[in-house]
Amino acid sequence: MKLLKFFAVLIVVQELLKDILHFYAGTLNLEHLPLHLCGISIFITFWYAYKPGKVNGEYLYALSLPGALAALLFPNWTEYPMMHFSNINSFTIHTWLVVFVTMLLYSGRLKPNFKNLPKTSLLIGVIAVPIYFINKMWDTNFMFLNGPSKGSPLVFLYDIFGGGYLIALIVLVLSAWLLMYLPWEVSYRKKAKNQSEQTA
């Protein structure tokens, strides 16, 4: 738990440091607000480290982990030089998010359960709806609700579905969840069956 709390605090401090440096450099803008999926994940990670629960734990597996992995695979911050603070900061923060969830899974503290997804979906819905309108007011693209990140596979989704992008995005998330949760569900049922046979 000490290690989990260390990573949670490290991520938050690093995010605050980023904004402070951008402020003093005169480059701070609305897009630097932590309203993207991974930005929100920073605070969900902190929440879980100090008060673990089913909803925030499921968020970490269902949204934070795939979101951070996708960001590392298809980064949108590579316009900066390799040793630029923004480049290093973005790579490391997303790596810490992946490491945090990996530690939870490896230690067995977090056991993904699709039955928790409705409450987790409600949480992300409560967050996403106001962010959608914030995007409209501020002409931002937090959580990529208005369009895809350049260079990501979501570009193909937008090109194909256009105005139906958001619906297609939801279907994509549901499909990803099916792939992410099916192995766990099979494992749980197999384990329960073995235990039943042993006690019979």
Side-chain angles (χ1 to χ4, degrees), residues 1 5 12 34 56 98 133 149 170:
M1 285 307 300
K5 289 177 181 179
V12 172
N56 53 11
V98 172
F133 290 104
S149 171
I170 292 172

Side-chain angles (χ1 to χ4, degrees), residues 57-82:
E58 215 63 52
Y59 175 98
L60 293 179
Y61 178 72
L63 292 164
S64 180
L65 180 61
L69 283 172
L72 288 170
L73 289 171
F74 309 101
N76 63 351
W77 56 79
T78 51
E79 69 271 14
Y80 297 105
M82 183 173 292

Side-chain angles (χ1 to χ4, degrees), residues 115-187:
K115 293 179 182 178
N116 296 324
L117 282 176
K119 290 183 179 179
T120 301
S121 299
L122 179 61
L123 171 64
I124 196 62
V126 168
I127 296 171
V129 170
I131 287 179
Y132 176 83
F133 290 104
I134 286 173
N135 284 338
K136 296 295 184 183
M137 289 188 297
W138 293 352
D139 193 27
T140 50
N141 191 24
F142 295 120
M143 296 180 71
F144 304 118
L145 295 178
N146 289 11
S149 171
K150 292 180 180 180
S152 77
L154 295 180
V155 172
F156 297 104
L157 203 66
Y158 188 83
D159 290 341
I160 294 171
F161 295 99
Y165 166 75
L166 275 180
I167 296 174
L169 185 60
I170 292 172
V171 172
L172 178 64
V173 171
L174 293 176
S175 300
W177 282 352
L178 179 63
L179 294 175
M180 291 173 65
Y181 281 89
L182 188 59
W184 289 99
E185 188 62 22
V186 170
S187 175

Side-chain angles (χ1 to χ4, degrees), residues 85-101:
F85 171 78
S86 293
N87 196 20
I88 296 172
N89 178 71
S90 295
F91 271 116
T92 52
I93 277 191
H94 289 89
T95 300
W96 303 152
L97 291 174
V98 172
V99 168
F100 188 89
V101 182

